């Protein structure tokens, strides 16, 4: 039986010894465990890493604030104990501490309803529902008519969505639903759909119905049916083991199951990667452009290898259409590196697709740092793809926070490898995602305009900026939730809110909510800022203030402040209260309120600060931005 | 792979599953003799052996296993059958 390998992770050197050494050591650091979790481990090794994790880092022993705790409740209709180590180690892999709660199996309805249930006391921020097929289908009659079978699929999907709604009444976190594992043997064969009452056909029907329901209910799916289509049922499920131990997921597949589940949680926490950094020679084309020249590199029709590189480029281009930023990091002369982009007829990627293009002879870790700085995104949101094992290892050693897949030697498998690793796991798509590529191109145009202006003021003036604002609304909702959950750097409090919580705030007439869009002569930057302020006796407390780093240094902070003050005055507030809650990533806004004229009212030991600004004597900042109220988001 | 090599490999697997690095097993060792070898770990031991040796052990065979020696013999039989194919 084949297993599901996480082949994109590097292998542990002398794996058994290294794990044994850790097992014998009296003290083990969190980072040592994170490092081991980022290697290829089978389920036995995962269980051993989990034991180390539990031994050294049980709940109270970890005081590193940069490690976020996820409280995951697994509500299952079958045995799920064996899934726990895979989930916890997948969390570790991403620097999360995952704490788990296992419902008694089959008892999830009671757990969700009882006011003082153990689940309630656990205070989960993620609910993972895993229901096995027999539990949902019961005794199934294959001879059902088309209409009756269709009604049955509908009823099952509906029953599942009722469980979600029940959960929503008491829990505000992320809800993940595992799709139904298609375990049933087919009765007809390829044309199973002609027997709509067969269990296999019903499961297909339920899974198809779950998708629109999950979108409507704001639930994230763990699409195990897709993984089975890729790996084969028996990589995930062992029918013998099902009868022996009621384990629906085979132990051998639990590391992958944990990783697939935790990547959904990471995406919800804003920790999916944002940028794909590409090497050039033997990564985007075959051969070495500096030696082989434009005519010599292998790319395009006429050679199998050349076609494989084209398909990888197409994958990268499609990722960028989805909102992933592309960058190039290559050891090459710039002119050589750029020539295929400009003149090779089979290049799919053009220079305009690349938001940051670095080709020189310096070491790659320095260049990758430069790319993160240039794009104003966290270095841990980069994925670096390079065919050269030496470069991969250097980058892993110098920049352990950058994801570096072990690329297969076969270029036809590059895209599959990047996809399987799940770095860019996404939960939602917004129109801003589709426009992002263009926005980064416009940034490059702004940079060159800046270079042509001798002083900043005349440059800012020449941009003709408009800050268009509106309270939160249905149209902007998805993007608002996305920004709240993924903005790490310019984020004063890093409070994450679910869609439901955002809607509640949106409907609160006393809350001030702002979505801000910046438009300039190069185009629309999309929604770049979010403010939530809530009444606090006669004052207004700024609960959330976050901005996209794309628009820093353009007076947007000051213009937003003018707007917040004007709105606060309209609401009759006396003072504004600002808060700064430090995280590993938001150091750039430590002085934010000071710069805006607030006085520091309190500072606590952990670095959190509280700020006050009386509104009476506020003098608006001079900026080159006109503030315009938009009736809709546009 | 002869019996003693299989026994060495099986011992390694079992000590990894049970997380007991210095475990010593003989052919006549049974699950009851070893601390922590419960039904949950038994499943993991069988699945890990299947993966390591590239064989499939059937439900009926698992039910009949009485000691480490019988597991080693079963694996030997299955790996030989595969080699003969």
């Amino acid at each position: 039986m084949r297993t599901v390998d996480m082949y994109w992770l590097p292998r542990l050197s002398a794996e058994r010894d290294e794990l044994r050494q850790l097992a014998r050591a009296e003290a083990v650091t969190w980072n040592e465990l994170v490092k081991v979790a980022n290697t290829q481990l089978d389920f036995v090794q995962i269980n051993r890493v989990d034991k180390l994790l539990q031994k050294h880092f049980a709940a109270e022993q970890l005081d590193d604030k940069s490690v976020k705790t996820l409280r995951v409740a697994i509500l299952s209709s079958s045995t799920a104990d064996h899934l726990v180590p895979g989930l916890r180690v997948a969390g570790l892999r991403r620097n999360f501490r995952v704490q788990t709660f296992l419902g008694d199996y089959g008892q999830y309805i009671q757990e969700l309803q009882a006011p003082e249930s153990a689940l309630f006391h656990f205070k989960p921020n993620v609910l993972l529902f895993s229901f096995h097929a027999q539990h949902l289908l019961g005794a199934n009659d294959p001879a059902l008519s088309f209409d009756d079978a269709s009604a049955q699929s509908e009823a099952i999907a509906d029953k599942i969505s009722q469980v979600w709604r029940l959960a929503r009444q008491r829990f505000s976190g992320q809800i993940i639903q595992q799709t139904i594992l298609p375990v049933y043997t087919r009765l007809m064969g390829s044309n199973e759909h002609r027997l709509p009452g067969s269990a296999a056909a019903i499961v297909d029907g339920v899974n198809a119905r779950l998708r629109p329901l999950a979108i409507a209910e704001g639930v994230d799916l763990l699409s195990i049916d897709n993984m089975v289509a890729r790996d084969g049922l028996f990589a995930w499920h062992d029918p013998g083991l099902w009868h022996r131990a009621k384990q629906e997921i085979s132990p051998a597949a639990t590391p992958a199951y944990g990783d697939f589940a935790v990547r959904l949680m990471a995406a919800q926490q804003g920790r999916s990667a944002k940028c794909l950094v590409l090497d050039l020679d033997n990564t985007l084309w075959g051969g070495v452009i500096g030696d082989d020249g434009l005519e010599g590199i292998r790319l395009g029709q006429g050679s199998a290898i050349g076609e494989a590189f084209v398909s990888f480029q197409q994958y990268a281009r499609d990722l960028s259409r989805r909102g992933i930023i592309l960058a190039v990091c290559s050891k090459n002369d710039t002119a050589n590196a750029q020539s295929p982009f400009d003149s090779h007829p089979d290049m799919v990627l053009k220079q305009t697709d690349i938001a940051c293009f670095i080709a020189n002879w310096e070491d790659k870790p320095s260049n990758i740092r430069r790319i993160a700085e240039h794009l104003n995104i966290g270095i841990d949101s980069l994925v670096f793809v390079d065919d050269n094992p030496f470069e991969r290892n250097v980058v892993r050693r110098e920049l352990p926070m950058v994801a570096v897949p072990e690329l297969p030697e076969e270029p036809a498998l590059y895209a599959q490898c990047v996809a399987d690793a799940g770095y860019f796991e996404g939960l939602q798509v917004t129109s801003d995602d589709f426009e992002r590529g263009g926005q980064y191109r416009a940034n490059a145009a702004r940079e060159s305009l800046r270079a042509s202006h001798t002083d900043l003021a005349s440059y800012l003036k020449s941009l003709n900026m408009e800050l268009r604002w509106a309270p939160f609304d249905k149209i902007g909702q998805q993007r608002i939730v996305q920004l709240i959950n993924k903005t790490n750097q310019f984020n004063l409090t890093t409070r994450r809110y679910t869609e439901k919580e955002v809607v509640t705030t949106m409907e609160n007439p006393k809350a001030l909510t702002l979505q801000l869009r910046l438009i300039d002569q190069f185009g629309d930057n999309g929604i770049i800022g979010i403010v939530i302020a809530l009444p606090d006796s006669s004052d207004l407390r700024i609960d959330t203030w976050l901005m996209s780093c794309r628009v820093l240094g353009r007076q947007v902070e000051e213009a937003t402040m003018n707007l917040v003050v004007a709105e606060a005055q309209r609401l009759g507030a006396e003072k504004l209260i600002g808060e700064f809650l430090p995280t590993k990533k938001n150091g750039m806004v430590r002085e934010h309120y000071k710069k805006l004229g607030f006085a520091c009212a309190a500072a606590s030991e952990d670095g959190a600060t509280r700020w006050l600004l009386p509104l009476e004597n506020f003098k608006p900042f001079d900026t080159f931005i006109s503030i315009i109220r938009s009736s809709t988001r546009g | 792979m002869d019996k003693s090599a299989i026994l060495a490999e099986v011992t390694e697997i079992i000590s990894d599953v049970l997380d007991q690095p210095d475990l010593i097993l003989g052919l006549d060792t049974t699950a009851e003799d070893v601390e922590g070898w419960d039904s949950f770990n038994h499943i993991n031991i069988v699945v890990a052996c299947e993966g390591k040796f590239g064989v499939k052990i059937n439900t009926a065979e698992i039910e009949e296993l009485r000691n480490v020696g019988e597991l080693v013999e079963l694996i030997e039989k299955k790996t030989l059958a595969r080699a003969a194919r």
Side-chain angles (χ1 to χ4, degrees):
Chain A
M1 259 186 211
R2 53 164 306 188
T3 55
V4 196
D5 293 328
M6 289 192 274
Y7 62 91
W8 55 88
L9 294 172
R11 289 184 182 280
L12 197 57
S13 53
E15 44 199 52
R16 284 194 163 149
D17 285 338
E18 193 162 333
L19 269 178
R20 290 220 163 131
Q21 276 168 19
L22 285 174
R24 287 204 185 92
E26 292 210 350
V28 173
T29 66
W30 176 262
N31 286 341
E32 278 177 305
L33 287 182
V34 172
K35 203 174 155 218
V36 174
N38 274 291
T39 57
Q40 220 183 108
L41 304 170
D42 64 26
F43 81 100
V44 175
Q45 293 167 324
I46 291 275
N47 290 354
R48 292 168 65 201
V49 173
D50 184 56
K51 283 202 181 109
L52 290 169
L53 188 60
Q54 299 313 307
K55 179 174 157 196
H56 296 283
F57 298 97
E60 56 288 345
Q61 285 165 298
L62 191 67
D63 47 35
D64 184 348
K65 285 229 173 64
S66 69
V67 179
K68 170 143 189 144
T69 299
L70 295 175
R71 305 174 61 77
V72 182
I74 305 151
L75 301 175
S76 173
S77 60
S78 58
T79 306
D81 308 56
H82 67 306
L83 300 177
V84 169
L87 282 164
R88 285 197 290 233
V89 176
L92 179 66
R93 191 170 296 131
R94 293 165 178 80
N95 205 32
F96 287 118
R97 189 178 55 182
V98 170
Q99 292 179 332
T100 52
F101 169 90
L102 269 181
D104 285 337
Y105 74 76
Q107 298 296 304
Y108 52 93
I109 299 278
Q110 292 87 324
E111 293 274 6
L112 288 172
Q113 275 175 332
E116 292 293 315
S117 65
L119 172 64
F120 180 75
H121 286 292
F122 174 68
K123 294 192 176 64
N125 43 29
V126 182
L127 296 177
L128 169 59
F129 290 111
S130 158
F131 305 139
H132 68 279
Q134 284 92 338
H135 171 72
L136 296 167
L137 268 67
N140 191 66
D141 178 10
L144 286 180
S145 71
F146 182 86
D147 286 346
D148 287 346
S150 168
Q152 201 195 339
S153 307
E154 185 100 43
I156 293 169
D158 195 51
K159 194 169 113 189
I160 294 172
S161 71
Q162 280 169 22
V163 175
W164 302 340
R165 283 195 286 273
L166 186 60
R168 276 271 180 268
Q169 286 169 17
R170 297 187 63 204
F171 301 98
S172 59
Q174 183 181 22
I175 296 183
I176 300 176
Q177 174 70 52
Q178 178 206 302
T179 57
I180 316 308
L181 194 72
V183 294
Y184 290 109
T185 337
R186 295 189 178 257
L187 295 170
M188 294 277 283
S190 288
N191 288 276
E192 194 78 5
H193 53 279
R194 292 192 194 274
L195 184 67
S198 93
I202 299 266
V203 168
D204 291 347
V206 173
N207 280 339
R209 285 179 163 83
L210 281 180
R211 291 184 157 96
L213 274 176
I215 292 177
E217 300 283 340
V219 165
D220 301 320
L221 291 180
L222 176 61
S223 290
I224 198 160
D225 51 338
N226 290 353
M227 299 162 204
V228 164
R230 187 196 63 180
D231 303 315
L233 177 62
F234 294 150
W236 287 89
H237 175 79
D238 180 337
L241 258 180
W242 170 251
H243 295 301
R244 288 209 294 284
K246 291 291 172 283
Q247 291 180 341
E248 192 186 33
I249 304 295
S250 159
T254 56
Y257 186 92
D259 201 76
F260 282 111
V262 170
R263 56 178 75 154
L264 297 174
M265 302 171 204
Q268 168 71 22
Q269 297 295 325
R271 296 268 286 272
S272 286
K274 295 172 182 159
C275 173
L276 179 63
V277 181
L278 297 157
D279 168 54
L280 297 179
D281 293 330
N282 290 314
T283 299
L284 286 192
W285 53 70
V288 176
I289 184 69
D291 297 337
D292 303 330
L294 260 187
E295 295 76 25
I297 59 170
R298 290 199 276 176
L299 182 68
Q301 310 305 319
S303 110
I305 291 230
E307 289 181 30
F309 284 107
V310 166
S311 74
F312 182 52
Q313 288 199 20
Q314 280 164 343
Y315 182 72
R317 186 203 51 198
D318 289 352
L319 276 180
S320 107
R321 285 287 295 135
R322 201 209 100 185
I324 304 303
I325 307 161
L326 300 183
V328 162
C329 176
S330 165
K331 278 187 179 163
N332 256 313
D333 286 332
T334 307
N336 280 339
Q338 291 179 341
S339 62
F341 287 85
D342 296 334
S343 346
H344 198 292
D346 290 308
M347 280 294 285
V348 176
L349 293 173
K350 307 289 173 207
Q351 278 211 59
T352 48
D353 294 313
I354 311 294
C356 182
F357 196 116
I358 294 190
N360 58 34
W361 297 99
E362 287 171 53
D363 65 288
K364 293 211 171 186
S366 306
N367 283 331
I368 288 171
R369 272 197 206 95
R370 220 163 275 157
I371 289 170
E373 276 165 32
H374 180 86
L375 296 174
N376 247 325
I377 55 178
I379 194 154
D380 58 357
S381 58
L382 304 183
V383 175
F384 173 59
V385 171
D386 195 319
D387 68 293
N388 183 334
F390 168 80
E391 300 292 359
R392 295 200 295 257
N393 287 330
V394 171
V395 172
R396 276 192 204 115
R397 200 182 59 224
E398 297 296 316
L399 305 171
M401 64 298 253
V402 174
V404 185
E406 273 305 271
L407 220 51
E409 285 183 13
E410 167 64 63
L413 297 175
Y414 287 177
Q416 192 63 46
C417 174
V418 172
D420 284 344
Y423 304 120
F424 301 107
E425 188 75 31
L427 300 177
Q428 281 169 350
V429 173
T430 66
S431 56
D432 276 30
D433 291 332
F434 294 136
E435 288 155 15
R436 186 159 304 120
Q439 288 165 355
Y440 276 92
R441 276 196 288 287
N443 260 6
R446 284 181 198 103
E447 286 295 325
S448 55
L449 179 64
R450 170 177 267 168
S452 72
H453 281 265
T454 48
D455 65 307
L456 186 64
S458 73
Y459 162 68
L460 290 176
K461 199 168 170 212
S462 70
L463 283 174
N464 294 325
M465 292 181 283
E466 284 176 10
L467 189 68
R468 291 205 194 150
W469 68 278
F472 289 2
D473 55 24
K474 282 269 171 230
I475 309 169
Q477 190 174 314
Q478 279 209 342
R479 173 67 176 155
I480 291 164
V481 173
Q482 192 190 48
L483 276 171
I484 285 176
N485 288 297
K486 78 172 198 185
T487 306
N488 294 315
Q489 297 185 99
F490 196 118
N491 194 336
L492 272 298
T493 53
T494 323
R495 294 188 174 116
R496 308 297 197 198
Y497 294 123
T498 60
E499 193 151 355
K500 187 190 168 200
E501 290 165 325
V502 168
V503 170
T504 307
T505 309
M506 190 162 98
E507 287 164 355
N508 174 359
K510 290 186 176 142
L512 169 62
T513 61
L514 299 174
Q515 47 177 328
L516 305 153
R517 182 174 277 266
L518 184 72
I519 292 164
D520 65 23
Q521 69 167 81
F522 293 104
D524 186 346
N525 292 273
I527 296 184
I528 46 79
I530 297 290
V531 175
I532 300 173
L534 301 168
D536 190 327
S537 62
S538 59
D539 304 328
L540 203 57
R541 180 180 59 82
I542 303 173
D543 174 87
T544 295
W545 182 330
L546 58 88
M547 297 186 117
S548 160
C549 291
R550 289 205 297 270
V551 297
L552 286 188
R554 294 171 59 178
Q555 301 178 334
V556 180
E557 299 95 307
E558 288 83 356
T560 303
M561 181 64 189
N562 291 347
L563 174 60
V564 169
V565 170
E567 284 298 289
Q569 285 169 333
R570 189 178 58 77
L571 290 167
E574 289 173 13
K575 292 195 289 292
L576 272 179
I577 302 170
E579 294 166 287
F580 167 71
L581 305 179
T583 67
K584 203 172 169 186
K585 297 196 168 169
N586 71 351
M588 67 189 305
V589 289
R590 188 172 291 116
E591 306 281 290
H592 175 70
Y593 286 118
K594 188 176 169 187
K595 286 180 201 157
L596 294 176
F598 285 66
C600 186
S604 63
E605 258 177 34
D606 61 2
T609 48
R610 194 176 164 86
W611 303 77
L612 287 178
L613 181 81
L615 294 179
E616 248 177 354
N617 304 319
F618 177 78
K619 256 188 63 202
F621 292 95
D622 287 328
T623 69
F624 292 105
I625 302 177
S626 25
I627 297 176
I628 294 170
R629 161 82 196 242
S630 58
S631 48
T632 64
R633 195 165 76 108
Chain B
M1 218 178 194
D2 65 9
K3 250 195 196 96
S4 65
I6 294 175
L7 175 63
E9 196 62 57
V10 165
T11 302
E12 184 115 335
I13 289 167
I14 294 175
S15 69
D16 281 352
V17 169
L18 304 181
D19 214 21
Q20 297 175 22
D22 305 313
L23 202 62
I24 294 166
L25 300 175
L27 291 174
D28 53 359
T29 307
T30 67
E32 289 83 56
D33 300 334
V34 182
E35 200 197 325
W37 190 337
D38 54 17
S39 61
F40 182 78
N41 279 326
H42 189 67
I43 291 169
N44 288 346
I45 288 166
V46 171
V47 175
C49 286
E50 287 179 338
K52 183 77 207 176
F53 296 101
V55 298
K56 183 81 195 115
I57 302 176
N58 302 322
T59 303
E61 292 166 334
I62 293 167
E63 285 173 356
E64 282 164 17
L65 288 179
R66 253 163 291 277
N67 57 33
V68 171
E70 290 186 12
L71 176 62
V72 169
E73 258 170 49
L74 187 62
I75 291 168
E76 187 186 30
K77 191 181 88 189
K78 286 185 180 264
T79 49
L80 285 175
R82 193 190 50 200
R85 274 205 302 270

